[in-house]
Structures are given as C-alpha cells and as structure tokens.
C-alpha cells in the first residue's frame, strides 16, 4: 500500500487527502490547525464540480448568471456556491494520521515537523497556499445581506457575476466590479472586487466603492442589516511559474491550479485530486499526470492573459469583458475552465482580440506577449 504525506489542510490539501484515502492510500496530513473552520466564500461553475462531491457541500446553485458591461449578458451556464462548512465536513480525513504541526522542512520522501519529528512516505505533496508575496493580487470587500435587501441590485435575477454598469469617476484608476451571489439561507453576498492589480485595491477603497455603488441602487449600506463582512486578498500566481518542475510536487492554488485571471481554484483542485491519487496508487509520477504538455501550454497562455489584463485601464477593462461575454459559451468555458484545452484557449483569446476592436484588440494582444510582474 502506498503512503503519502499531504502538507496543508485547506480545501486543496484536505480534498486531496480525502481522495487518497478513498483510493486506499495511507495518508499523513500535516497542518498546524487541521480543523480550523474555513470562512471564505468559494464558488465555481457547476460543471466543474467532481461527480463524487455530495449536495451537502453546496449552499446555492443557479442555472445562469448575469454580466453587465453595461450591456447585459445572460450566461446560460450553471454556477454553484459552496457551503464552506459543509464542504469541510464532507472531505473526511478521519482515517489519516493527522499531525497538528507546521512543516519545518519538506523533501521528496519526508517532512520534518516543527517539533523535530520526521514523517516518511513514498511521496510528499505540498498543498500549502499563500506563500507568494510580490505577485498581482485579487482583493474584495463584501457584505452578506438578506435577499430582499439585495433585490435592487439583482433586478429579478438570481446571481450577478460582474456588474461594471456604474462607471468610475477616474477611468485611469484601477477598476472594480460588483459581484452578487446567493449564499443560502435567504442571503446574498454583495462584494466589490478588484479582479487583478499590482498593487491591488485596498480594503478601505473597496469598502468606499461598495457603499457608493449600492447607494446608486438605492441601498444605504449603513442602514442595512449585515450578517457578515468578508475581506478577500490573495495572490493570482502560484509559488512558481513552472509548477510542473516543483520537487516535491505542489498541489492546489499555490501549485498552479488557480486560474491566474479569475482567481478560481477550489473546484479545479477537487477535480484534479483523483488524477494525483490514481498516479500514486499506480506508482507513477503525480506531477507528470497532473501536468501533460497541454496543461502546461494552457497555464502559460493564462499567465499571458493576466499580463494583458493588468495593462488595461478601467474603460478598456469593461470593453474587454463586454467582448469576452459576447463570445459563444463554449469558447468562454474553454478559457475559464478547461485547463488542457489548448486549441479552445487560443480560439477564445483570438476571438476576444478580434471582437474588441482594432485599438483595444491590439493593446490586449501586445499585453499578452509580456509576462505578468515577477513573483516571489
């Protein structure tokens, strides 16, 4: 029987440990706070979810989402919001040997804990996140309110993926949009989001923008009951531009499974966990299984996409997303979700260049030829 050490018990690490155990692999799970509750809001396109994930992990699902650029776009693709606590409970790891310690040193076959203990295995997978400091970041400030309070924003729809319809006073400033999604229990998250910035917008600025935006919809945030406040800030790039060369292997958001232009990673990590588990049980290299040449190529193209996005001003960003969401859903999906669809990703990027107009299309194309800022 194979034995693996999984370092990190966030969604990617816990998900991987869960699927390894299901595959019959002995697992040591290393995390200083393995049972710390997850409080972030995670979402994904419904068709990205692995078939083995139960309904208890989902707080809400909708059949379509809206985008305002300010031209309205209705995206006929299911969208799901995780029940974060339900997901954490569903990813059972009771059969694992849990070590409530930090990893002081990590090697290909062993992990030294902060108490000096060495844990040995056939393979070590590093699933820790948040190690990147000097990378483009996504930031957001959000509030959870009753569905009735959010009604003026939703305007009869269930979910609003992006609302760019209220212009900023300064088109040269870093842009942000409103994200409005149901989170279950008759509540909605209203979140002002800076999709990508280097540096990104701070919480105070996002808070102020959210209040101004909601005020334009007739919602006085200071007079609206708020059930929860959410602060978001994370790097859009992993620990390496070439995660397929990491030794020991990295997995999850910091291991190249985060989409660098959207920030989504949870569903991809859950879906890829079985790929890693199958490689380990068969005695093959999990990194090679996770990173065929097609996935490497798409990852590089997506990094170029982030480089282009970072070089657009507010007006150009809105026009870019107007062109993107005017594309056929199949092309949107290729770019947003299919991590090994090289031709689909190229076709989607080319379609945006073509439909954005000569000036913007040329600017986006030139931006995509440059790498995003150095990470580290």
């Amino acid at each position: 029987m194979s034995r693996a050490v999984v370092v990190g018990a966030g969604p990617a690490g816990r998900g991987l440990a869960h699927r390894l155990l299901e595959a019959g692999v002995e697992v040591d799970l290393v995390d200083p706070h393995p049972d710390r509750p997850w409080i972030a809001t995670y979402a994904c396109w419904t068709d990205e979810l692995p078939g083995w994930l139960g309904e208890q992990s989902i707080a809400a699902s909708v059949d379509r989402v809206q985008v305002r650029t300010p031209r309205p776009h209705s995206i006929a693709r299911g969208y799901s919001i995780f029940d974060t606590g339900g997901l954490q409970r569903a990813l059972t790891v009771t059969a694992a040997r849990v070590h409530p310690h930090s990893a002081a040193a990590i090697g290909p076959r062993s992990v030294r804990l902060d108490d000096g203990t060495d844990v040995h295995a056939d393979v070590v997978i590093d699933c820790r996140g948040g190690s990147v400091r000097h990378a483009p970041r996504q930031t957001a400030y959000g509030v959870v309110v009753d569905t009735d309070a959010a009604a003026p924003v939703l305007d009869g729809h269930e979910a609003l993926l992006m609302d760019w319809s209220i212009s900023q006073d300064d088109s040269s400033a870093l842009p942000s949009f409103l994200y409005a999604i149901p989170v279950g229990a008759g509540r909605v998250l209203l979140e002002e989001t800076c999709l990508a910035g280097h540096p990104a917008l701070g919480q105070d600025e996002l808070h102020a923008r959210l209040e101004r935006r909601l005020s334009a919809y007739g919602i006085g945030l200071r007079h609206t009951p708020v059930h929860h406040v959410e602060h978001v800030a994370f790097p859009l790039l992993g620990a390496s531009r070439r995660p397929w060369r990491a030794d020991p292997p990295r997995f999850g958001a910091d291991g190249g499974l985060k989409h660098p232009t959207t920030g989504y990673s949870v569903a991809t990590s859950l879906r890829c966990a079985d790929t890693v588990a199958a490689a380990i049980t068969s005695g093959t290299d999990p990194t090679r299984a996770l990173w065929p040449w097609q996935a490497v190529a798409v990852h590089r193209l997506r990094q170029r996409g982030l480089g282009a996005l970072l070089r657009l001003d507010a007006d150009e960003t809105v026009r870019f997303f107007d062109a993107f969401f005017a594309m056929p859903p199949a092309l949107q999906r290729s770019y947003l979700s299919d991590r090994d669809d090289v031709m689909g990703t190229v076709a989607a990027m080319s379609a945006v260049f073509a439909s954005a107009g000569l000036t913007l299309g040329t600017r986006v194309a030139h931006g995509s030829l440059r790498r995003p800022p150095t990470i580290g």
Side-chain angles (χ1 to χ4, degrees):
M1 180 181 293
S2 301
R3 183 175 179 182
V5 179
V6 175
V7 184
R14 192 177 181 95
L16 178 59
H18 173 75
R19 297 310 292 172
L20 287 170
L21 290 167
E22 290 289 313
V25 178
E26 293 186 353
V27 176
D28 288 83
L29 182 60
V30 176
D31 190 288
H33 307 286
D35 298 316
R36 175 183 289 170
W38 302 340
I39 60 173
T41 300
Y42 303 121
C44 67
W45 300 102
T46 303
D47 54 26
E48 294 177 337
L49 293 167
W52 52 263
L53 194 66
E55 294 183 358
Q56 72 273 24
S57 300
I58 305 300
S61 292
V62 299
D63 293 331
R64 64 176 59 231
V65 296
Q66 309 300 312
V67 173
R68 300 170 185 154
T69 58
R71 182 173 60 161
H73 301 269
S74 184
I75 314 302
R77 186 182 179 193
Y79 192 77
S80 292
I81 298 86
F82 288 99
D83 178 328
T84 311
L87 175 65
Q88 190 171 15
R89 291 188 295 272
L91 300 177
T92 55
V93 292
T94 53
R97 303 177 186 88
V98 179
H99 304 271
H101 295 275
S102 297
I106 300 179
R109 298 286 186 273
S110 67
V111 174
R112 174 155 294 181
L113 306 181
D114 56 11
D115 67 353
T117 303
D118 289 325
V119 182
H120 300 276
D122 300 303
V123 62
V124 173
I125 309 290
D126 188 353
C127 301
R128 295 173 298 175
S131 64
V132 184
R133 297 181 181 179
H134 306 296
R137 299 177 73 82
Q138 182 174 127
T139 55
Y141 177 93
V143 295
V144 175
V145 301
D146 291 332
T147 301
D148 290 345
V153 171
L154 293 171
D155 191 26
H157 302 293
E158 291 184 281
L160 183 57
L161 187 71
M162 285 182 161
D163 181 6
W164 302 94
S165 62
I166 299 175
S167 61
Q168 297 175 191
D169 296 333
D170 182 1
S171 64
S172 65
L174 198 60
S176 62
F177 62 90
L178 180 66
Y179 175 62
I181 57 167
V183 292
R187 297 174 179 177
V188 172
L189 171 66
L190 302 174
E191 194 164 79
E192 190 73 18
T193 304
C194 172
L195 185 64
H198 191 65
L201 294 173
Q203 295 295 310
D204 290 344
E205 173 63 17
L206 288 165
H207 185 183
R209 290 191 185 190
L210 179 63
E211 287 193 328
R212 290 196 297 269
R213 188 187 298 273
L214 295 182
S215 177
Y217 282 108
I219 302 173
L221 188 55
R222 296 182 183 181
H223 305 290
T224 301
V226 172
H227 299 285
H228 173 69
V229 175
E230 180 160 283
H231 303 272
V232 176
F234 58 79
L236 287 166
L237 296 173
S240 170
R241 293 191 188 277
R242 300 176 180 85
W244 47 89
R245 294 184 180 178
D247 187 25
R250 299 188 72 98
F251 182 81
D254 217 22
L257 297 186
K258 179 187 295 176
H259 197 305
T261 54
T262 68
Y264 287 59
S265 68
V266 173
T268 300
S269 297
L270 295 176
R271 197 170 66 249
C272 289
D274 280 347
T275 300
V276 175
I280 292 174
T281 56
S282 65
T284 57
D285 183 357
T287 299
R288 295 190 66 178
L290 192 61
W291 291 101
W293 72 265
Q294 297 93 332
V296 171
V298 168
H299 186 73
R300 285 174 166 159
L301 286 169
R302 288 175 171 180
Q303 288 182 333
R304 300 292 184 174
L306 174 59
L309 188 62
L310 289 168
R311 290 171 174 82
L312 302 182
D313 64 24
D315 289 341
E316 291 169 336
T317 300
V318 174
R319 289 161 53 201
F320 171 86
F321 282 107
D322 184 63
F324 183 89
F325 286 108
M327 289 194 307
L331 284 181
Q332 296 178 30
R333 190 191 190 286
S334 292
Y335 185 76
L336 294 173
S337 301
D338 296 332
R339 63 182 297 267
D340 57 359
D341 183 0
V342 180
M343 296 306 297
T345 300
V346 171
M349 296 176 75
S350 299
V352 170
F353 299 160
S355 63
L358 180 60
T359 302
L360 178 58
T362 301
R363 183 166 168 78
V364 171
H366 285 172
S368 67
L369 296 176
R370 301 176 64 185
R371 290 183 175 182
T374 303
I375 61 177

